[in-house]
Structures are given as C-alpha cells and as structure tokens.
Amino acid sequence: GGLIPIAIAAVSNSTTDFTAEHHAAPAASAGPTITASGLARISGCEYWVLTRVGTATANVTLYWNSFSNCNSSAYVTDLSTIVVAHSNGVSWDAYKRDGGTTGSAISGTVTWNTVNTFSPFALGSTSAAANPLPVLFDNVRAFEKGTGVQIEWSNLTERDLLNYQVEHSVNGRDYTVINQQSPKSNQNDKADYTAFDAAPASGSNFYRIKVQEVAGKIIYSKILRVEIGNVKKNIALYPNPVSGNQLTVALSGIKLGQYNVKVINASGQQVYQKALLSQGTSISQTLQLPSSVKTGIYTILVSGDDFMETQHFVVQ
C-alpha cells in the first residue's frame, strides 16, 4: 500500500480547519448518480472526503499514482479530460479542472481552484471513451435455484465493453467459462444480467464475472461461493480484513426465504442492513458497505428462518 493524497492550497483564511479521508471504494458510494452536465464518468474504486470547519475557500488537488488499486491497468488515459468531481451526497453535481493537471497517466494530479463547497471528491472524466475509471459492479450474487445455481449482476457504468463471461471453479483457483453474454447497452448506464449453471458440482462452487473492454482491459468481479449438497448451517465472509468497504457474505445450509443482514460497529450501533432472498440452501452476495463505515472491528449478524449466525470482521 501507500499514500494516495488529496491536497489543498491557497486557503483564504487561517481560521479554517480541514480534515481528509481516502476511501478505497466506488465513488458511487458517495452519490449513486451523475447530474453535472458534461461529466461522463466517476471513479469506480476510490474517492476522498474533505471536510471544512470554517468558511475558507481552497484549491483542491486530487492525485493518482501506482499505489492506487485502480491503477493496475489503464485508469487515467487522457489528462485533457480528467477533472475533479464533487458530490452533494446524493449525486455528482459539479466538476472543474481550472487549476490544470500535472504528470502522466501513471502518476499525476488535477486541481479545482477556489473551492467553496466541500464534501466528497473523486476523479472524473468529461470523456466517456477516455479515462475508464473502472467498471462498477453492483448486486453481484449467486444462489442455489432448483438443481442449479443462478448468477446475477449489474454494471452501473456499462461502456465500451466486448462481453461478459461467467467463470466457474471447484477449487477457487482454476476457472472455466460457462456462459458468455454481449453488453446490452454500452451507453454508460446501468445494465442487469443473469446466468444459470445447470450442472454445479457437489460441494463448493466458485463463480466470478470476467469483463473484457474494447481497449483490451480485463476486469473481474469479486468471487462468489455456493455450497451444493448436504452442508451444515454456516456463514462465511471474505475477504477479512475488508478493503474498499466491499465484502462477500456466503450462507450455507439455510432454508428458502428472506434473511436479514446487519452490520454492527464496536459501539453496538447498526451501520448497515440488507435483505437477502434465498431460493435454495445456499446464497453468496457481494455487499458494498457505506462510506461511513470506518477502519475498525465489526460484527455481521444474519438471521432468518431457523438461522442466526454472527461473525466478526475487520475493515482496514
């Protein structure tokens, strides 16, 4: 790991305090929609929260570098269209780059001068073709259905994709393609997909979604695990520790019906809740925790018909 900074300069008075936090999570966590005219994309894997106590304006600079988990491949590709995007907590409502850019696609900065409204900021792009700012998966899940396994997912920012491939494994290492689908939209909007594995193995089945972009980049979803056969009641969480406020919960040995997921912090406060609908004895789903979930130890509580399990996990 390493530092992925946000910087302020030209602060208009000395009586204002600023605090900043970097979040390794999709910028959509801080506002699910884009309402600013001309803003085509926001980052799919990180954003910053810059808080002001006082009235000063400041120049805000965002960085990208090799420490970012976004930068494993072409993340920033066109400095002329990269911008600082702002969220009002509901939508990404404004952007600027009037302070210019520095560096290259590998490492650089972009600046918005004389900012007067603070809250979340993220890298954005005024080009839908450049600066991929990765594919944003949502509601990725797999569950037993009849004698097979149903796999479902959404892409919140579908653009310039060749195809989706559903891959299956029995050991979590070696994968084979069991389903391929073409993109429905490719218009930088949301698209929903389903696939069905009619012949899962007895025991553990692992699934992931592979996405290939027109430019050649390959992106994978989180891995889902579904247990088939006579298995004990169980809850599994991974990864643990959690990074990017995203984790996968897998339930085994359960009955059909609805299950409630609650995340509790160390003070006993509920910070997240979601309902899962199981159509078989096993379900696996990726959860995106809110940006308010900070570093620390948490407890997940899952309850349903004749089922109640808890497990601790760490958010890094």
Side-chain angles (χ1 to χ4, degrees), residues 14 66 80 106 109 112 202 213 238 259 264 289 293-294 306:
S14 60
S66 59
S80 70
I106 301 300
T109 71
W112 178 346
S202 178
E213 295 187 343
Y238 49 93
Y259 292 79
I264 312 297
L289 301 178
V293 174
K294 311 298 184 185
D306 194 29

Side-chain angles (χ1 to χ4, degrees), residues 1 5 14 41 112 166 170 267 273:
S14 60
R41 297 176 183 263
W112 178 346
V166 179
V170 294
S267 300
Q273 180 174 346

